[in-house]
Structures are given as structure tokens and as C-alpha cells.
Amino acid sequence: MLPTYATVNLAALAHNLSCIKRYLSPGCDVLAIVKANAYGHGAVETAQALARMGIRQFAVASLDEGIALRQAGLSTSIVVLGALFDEQVSDLVAHQLTPVVSDGHILPALAKAAHSHQIPYPVHLKVETGMGRLGFSPEELCLLLDDPLLRSPLHLEGLMTHLADADGKDGTFTERQLDAFGNVLKQIRQRGLTPPLIHAANSAAIVRFPKAHFSLVRPGIMLYGYHTLPDTVPAPDLRPVLSLRTTVAQLRTIPQGGTVSYNGTFVATRPTRIAVLPIGYADGYSRRLSHRGSVLIQGSRAPIVGLVCMDMIMV
Ligand SMILES: Cc1ncc(COP(=O)(O)O)c(C=O)c1O
């Protein structure tokens, strides 16, 4: 066994999921965000565990992430949130991944690839309401609604936006985004389109903006046990899913005036017991934690001393 390893606590994941669900009204579902390797927790294992907990919809950032989940046997809906390129469309459809369309140029290619499907192929449209990232402007999106491809062979399954400031101190920007989103939704329904999946809320919005819940919410960070909410909001009851563990490799006592690590930035003011741990920035333990981070050794907190090395730290 390696001396340094990460553990993933599925009981904590289940706990966080039920914490998220307590904010939701009946009928509002969870689209679990498992992009970026499920925030580093292992996308396949995390998605499989969440599927066992009843989650039926997942979202990833990119085509390759979606294909990896399909190839691991996940048969639920998998939404690809990120940009979609023409040359990716046939693979996307072959793996039955649901695209988020942010630019109309991709629709003909999607429709062509979807023709062989027995049932209309689901797509979600993204409206840009203030994130300044991917998406149609409300005006562009309303123009697109007359495109017959959205009725066949495609099927407008979802409408989404992304909130830029749900964890900001002031809710004004989010309220403005939600108003813009609500207006687009109204126009969509006036055109006789009734996408069943309407989604806008990331973790912070789940807690702070019930009106952003619509039919689906998109939690990421809260699933994994953290939140980005301001101090003014009561903190949700979350448990960290991931723990990073290692083993003391060597214990030494350095004299007063002795230094630790590169550049000698830690100087002992008295004889000091130092433990060397075999973990460093190559393992993802950021160099920015030099002199600032700490570890727990049998429950007692020990501060990092000196600079974090590539594969060792000293405490
Ligand atoms: C489109 C979209 N929705 C939801 C999320 C989840 O956000 P959070 O981790 O804040 O819940 C992300 C994360 O990056 C995202 O890109």
C-alpha cells in the first residue's frame, strides 16, 4: 500500500445529497455535477455511487468526460455542459450524451447525427444572462425558437442559464439574471415549446435562491462537502467527502537556528521536533500552503513549516 492516498467517504456523499434535497420542493430534481473528475473525487465511482442513491441525471464539462461515464456503464442521462465542436457531434450522439447548445451553428450537425435515432434527440439550450460565458443572448435564443430542427429530429428537453454571483454578498445581480431567464422562459412557452427541464441553480443558489430551483438544480461543490456562501447565510450541514492521508516518514529534532526546506524560510526559535511527510505539490498539495497549511496527526493539528516541496512537506 502507498503511504499517501486519498479516501472518498460515500456516507458523507449521501449525507450531502440529502442535505441538498432538504432545500428543494417536491418535484425538483438533482442534476449532479461530476465534471473535472467529480471535483477530483473520481467521476466514475462518484457517479455510480450517486446513481445507487437514486440520481438519474449527471453533468460533465466535456465530451471525453461523458464518454468515460458511458463506457463505465452509466445508463442515466449525461449532460455535456461545455462547448461542443462540430467534429465532436457524431461521438456525442453515438454515446447518447445530451448537449447543452450555446451556439446555433451546431444544430444542423446535431440534427444530421440524430436522424438515425428512433426518438427525438434531447438538447438543452443555454441562455447567457450575466455570467459572460457560453450561451445565447436572450434575443438570439428567441430568434432560434422558430428553427424546426428543435421540434424534429431534436427535442428541446432543457433550458438553462448559469448564475455568476449566487454566492455574492448582495442578491441583486442574481435577481436580475433570474428575471432575464424568466422572460426567456415565458417566450419559449408562448411559442408552444415546453422543455421539461429548467435549470439555473448551482450550490449557492440552491441555498439562497429558492426561485432559481425550477425543475432541476445543479449542485457541484455542496455534494463534495463544501460551500462558497457568504458569512451572512447559515452554513449548510455538509461533510467533506475526500480525505488525504499520509504516513510520517521521518521524525527529527532540529536545534535552535536550524532551518527547514528550500530557502531556509523556517528558522527554529528553539529545539523543534519535525516530521517529514511524503506528500507535496506533485500530489496536489499546493505550494501556496507553505507556512500556512496544517495536518492532523492523530487528531492534533501540526502546522506546515518551510516551503512545500514537490513530494514532501515538513510539519
Ligand atoms: C454550468 C454549471 N452548473 C453548475 C455547476 C456547479 O457549481 P457549484 O460547484 O458551485 O455547485 C458548475 C460548476 O462549475 C457549472 O459549470
Side-chain angles (χ1 to χ4, degrees), residues 28-99:
C28 180
D29 225 336
V30 170
L31 171 66
I33 305 290
V34 291
K35 70 185 203 178
N37 198 24
Y39 290 46
H41 293 69
V44 167
E45 296 81 356
T46 303
Q48 284 170 339
L50 287 167
R52 288 194 297 275
M53 295 170 202
I55 295 296
R56 290 287 158 262
Q57 305 186 68
F58 293 89
V60 293
S62 59
L63 175 66
D64 57 312
E65 290 182 339
I67 292 175
L69 290 184
R70 269 291 176 262
Q71 286 177 341
L74 201 72
S75 59
T76 61
S77 155
I78 301 174
V79 176
V80 179
L81 296 167
L84 182 61
F85 298 90
D86 287 317
E87 58 275 21
Q88 297 182 319
V89 166
S90 58
D91 276 345
L92 177 112
V93 171
H95 290 91
Q96 299 198 32
L97 304 171
T98 304

Side-chain angles (χ1 to χ4, degrees), residues 145-176:
L145 296 177
D146 294 326
D147 193 326
L149 295 179
L150 284 179
R151 289 161 177 88
S152 173
L154 305 176
H155 156 58
L156 183 55
E157 181 187 68
L159 179 76
M160 68 172 286
T161 194
H162 194 40
L163 300 174
D165 197 34
D167 54 1
K169 285 216 161 56
D170 172 0
T172 319
F173 194 82
T174 304
E175 294 288 352
R176 223 180 296 142

Side-chain angles (χ1 to χ4, degrees), residues 204-269:
I206 290 171
V207 176
R208 282 181 88 195
F209 296 94
K211 74 189 233 195
H213 291 179
F214 300 100
S215 55
L216 197 62
V217 294
R218 302 192 306 264
I221 196 151
M222 269 177 76
L223 278 173
Y224 306 105
Y226 297 91
H227 70 82
T228 56
L229 294 160
D231 299 343
T232 47
V233 177
D237 166 31
L238 300 168
R239 295 183 190 156
V241 173
L242 190 129
S243 309
L244 200 48
R245 294 167 197 273
T246 188
T247 311
V248 173
Q250 195 177 37
L251 270 174
R252 288 168 35 252
T253 301
I254 59 168
Q256 182 180 357
T259 63
V260 173
S261 194
Y262 293 115
N263 307 135
T265 54
F266 174 82
V267 185
T269 54

